[in-house]
Amino acid sequence: MAFSFLRSMITILALSIAAPASAEDGSGFPQIVGTWHGTYLVAFAKSNPNHEKGLLKTEMELEITKLDGNLITATNRWRRIGDTDWIVEEAMGTFSLDDPTRFVLAEAGISGEDVSAGIFNGVYLDDVIMVTYAGPGTGVAFAAQLVKKDSK
């Protein structure tokens, strides 16, 4: 009984000392500002005009331009391997308040014919961003592992 009480008191003391992650001051969230790059295979639903092309190898650059507390501002640039022009889409998102390594981005296309609106579910782990994407309006989905580009 005394041992359980002592263990409870130590736990309460530890929790009261620990600094909580706060959306107001931005603490507790990974500092992921920068440009992240990776390649992936993209799949299209039968109703998508690109469906007949099969799986397409694609590259992307996810540029996290601003963090404001838990809020994320980003630009997503992507292109099929071999293409020269980037398709550009803007995104806003948020870190999860219960798991500060996880985030969601909602994007809206702004340039190009293949733009779509969709949702990125992401996690930042060991200096890597891993995202899954779903574009329900156009029937597109993919997963990608992104590494930070050198600032050189």
Side-chain angles (χ1 to χ4, degrees):
M1 178 82 150
F3 179 71
S4 290
F5 177 75
L6 181 59
R7 185 174 55 197
S8 297
M9 293 307 291
I10 290 172
T11 301
I12 290 170
L13 178 62
L15 289 173
S16 68
I17 294 172
S22 168
E24 287 79 27
D25 66 10
S27 67
F29 300 104
Q31 299 305 303
I32 60 172
V33 169
T35 302
W36 301 79
H37 180 263
T39 59
Y40 57 94
L41 288 175
V42 63
F44 303 99
K46 286 184 180 181
S47 61
N48 188 300
N50 291 307
H51 176 75
E52 296 301 320
K53 297 177 185 176
L55 298 176
L56 295 176
K57 189 157 186 172
T58 308
E59 68 177 317
M60 73 180 285
E61 288 185 349
L62 181 63
E63 182 182 3
I64 308 293
T65 56
K66 182 179 176 185
L67 295 179
D68 189 11
N70 62 308
L71 298 177
I72 304 165
T73 303
T75 300
N76 178 34
R77 287 179 288 279
W78 64 272
R79 63 185 172 193
R80 292 173 182 88
I81 301 296
D83 286 356
T84 55
D85 294 331
W86 291 97
I87 294 170
V88 180
E89 299 174 317
E90 298 295 330
M92 286 298 298
T94 181
F95 280 106
S96 171
L97 295 178
D98 66 344
D99 182 351
T101 64
R102 296 196 173 279
F103 62 91
V104 173
L105 294 174
E107 82 171 355
I110 60 172
S111 74
E113 293 181 16
D114 284 334
V115 298
S116 65
I119 301 293
F120 285 96
N121 283 300
V123 62
Y124 174 78
L125 187 62
D126 297 329
D127 296 325
V128 173
I129 289 178
M130 292 173 278
V131 293
T132 55
Y133 177 84
T138 55
V140 61
F142 65 83
Q145 182 171 312
L146 310 173
V147 295
K148 196 166 191 179
K149 288 181 75 169
D150 289 336
S151 57
K152 298 175 186 176

